[in-house]
Amino acid sequence: DVKVTQSSRYLVKRTGEKVFLECVQDMDHENMFWYRQDPGLGLRLIYFSYDVKMKEKGDIPEGYSVSREKKERFSLILESASTNQTSMYLCATVRGSSYEQYFGPGTRLTVT
Amino acid sequence: QKEVEQNSGPLSVPEGAIASLNCTYSDRGSQSFFWYRQYSGKSPELIMFIYSNGDKEDGRFTAQLNKASQYVSLLIRDSQPSDSATYLCAVSASSGGGADGLTFGKGTHLIIQP
């Protein structure tokens, strides 16, 4: 059974703080993704990674960076959190050319 | 700008009837198409994917793809109250599935009335 875990279900941070969101998968999947989900805007791709130390920008990378030092772990970094980054953040993985993308449980981040 | 359009609903369907969910996409180069189900407060879960024109059936679910019309649909037969959820349509430009990430529609809220 594929397991994708995220470090926190709920997180409250202050404006200007540096925020780390962590995602860990246990299935040796090559590809990992970070999305955010907002009411009325749907799910939007922030960054993704094909492999260790590889990263690609998604549709809305501004204000975010990522790190992938190990295959199983993909971190999303908010260098200086802002209130417009309040959102549900979802991590996902997919194995190579498989069609199945598995999502983690999500982290609801509130920036005050 | 790649766009995926869905009617937000809510779409209300009586129990036992067929629910029909529709999706259009703007990128003619899209290769793979996905339907996800998302219950309130939960993360999306994959129901079906399709990449060839025509129909694909899996149990009570049928996905239909028409690339010429840039149209994807999901039919749910014998709808059950447990099917009440938001259904997300997603597309990928990658022929290998979602390896490059997916572009999602905003979802259709489906309500199955007992």
Side-chain angles (χ1 to χ4, degrees):
Chain A
D1 211 18
V2 176
K3 193 147 188 195
V4 183
T5 58
Q6 295 183 229
S7 49
S8 306
R9 287 286 279 136
Y10 300 94
L11 205 54
V12 180
K13 294 293 182 180
R14 294 196 181 276
T15 301
E17 277 193 81
K18 190 169 186 175
V19 181
F20 292 86
L21 303 182
E22 300 248 297
C23 175
V24 179
Q25 50 101 355
D26 67 353
M27 283 301 291
D28 202 35
H29 287 178
E30 294 86 358
N31 303 318
M32 298 186 74
F33 309 84
W34 277 105
Y35 294 89
R36 62 179 284 179
Q37 186 171 29
D38 302 286
L41 294 176
L43 270 153
R44 294 176 291 168
L45 181 64
I46 305 171
Y47 266 98
F48 61 103
S49 169
Y50 291 112
D51 205 344
V52 175
K53 298 197 185 296
M54 303 294 290
K55 61 183 179 183
E56 297 286 341
K57 292 180 180 179
D59 297 320
I60 52 162
E62 296 78 17
Y64 303 94
S65 62
V66 291
S67 173
R68 193 162 180 204
E69 296 296 320
K70 293 185 178 182
K71 191 173 186 179
E72 67 270 18
R73 188 180 298 268
F74 192 34
S75 301
L76 180 70
I77 304 159
L78 287 65
E79 295 289 342
S80 177
S82 64
T83 55
N84 63 13
Q85 293 178 310
T86 291
S87 186
M88 171 67 84
Y89 289 88
L90 290 157
C91 173
T93 76
V94 65
R95 181 177 66 244
S97 60
S98 164
Y99 287 88
E100 299 197 45
Q101 194 162 123
Y102 297 93
F103 281 86
T107 295
R108 185 167 292 283
L109 172 67
T110 302
V111 182
T112 62
Chain B
Q1 180 79 11
K2 295 176 284 187
E3 292 183 348
V4 178
E5 300 286 342
Q6 295 181 255
N7 189 321
S8 62
L11 174 66
S12 187
V13 173
E15 183 176 357
I18 295 174
S20 178
L21 303 161
N22 304 316
C23 170
T24 59
Y25 59 94
S26 63
D27 183 5
R28 206 166 264 287
S30 299
Q31 299 282 334
S32 312
F33 306 86
F34 304 81
W35 283 101
Y36 283 82
R37 177 176 62 200
Q38 186 174 28
Y39 294 112
S40 180
K42 301 292 186 182
S43 54
E45 55 180 327
L46 182 66
I47 300 174
M48 293 189 70
F49 63 84
I50 186 168
Y51 51 90
S52 298
N53 276 327
D55 294 0
K56 179 181 179 182
E57 189 174 315
D58 184 1
R60 295 187 297 113
F61 299 95
T62 299
Q64 299 174 316
L65 174 61
N66 183 326
K67 287 187 178 180
S69 300
Q70 295 176 242
Y71 178 89
V72 193
S73 65
L74 179 71
L75 301 178
I76 307 174
R77 288 183 300 281
D78 187 24
S79 297
Q80 303 297 309
S82 59
D83 295 326
S84 297
T86 297
Y87 288 79
L88 305 174
C89 174
V91 305
S92 170
S94 168
S95 59
D100 292 337
L102 301 176
T103 300
F104 283 84
K106 294 174 185 175
T108 297
H109 183 44
L110 175 65
I111 299 171
I112 306 299
Q113 294 182 321

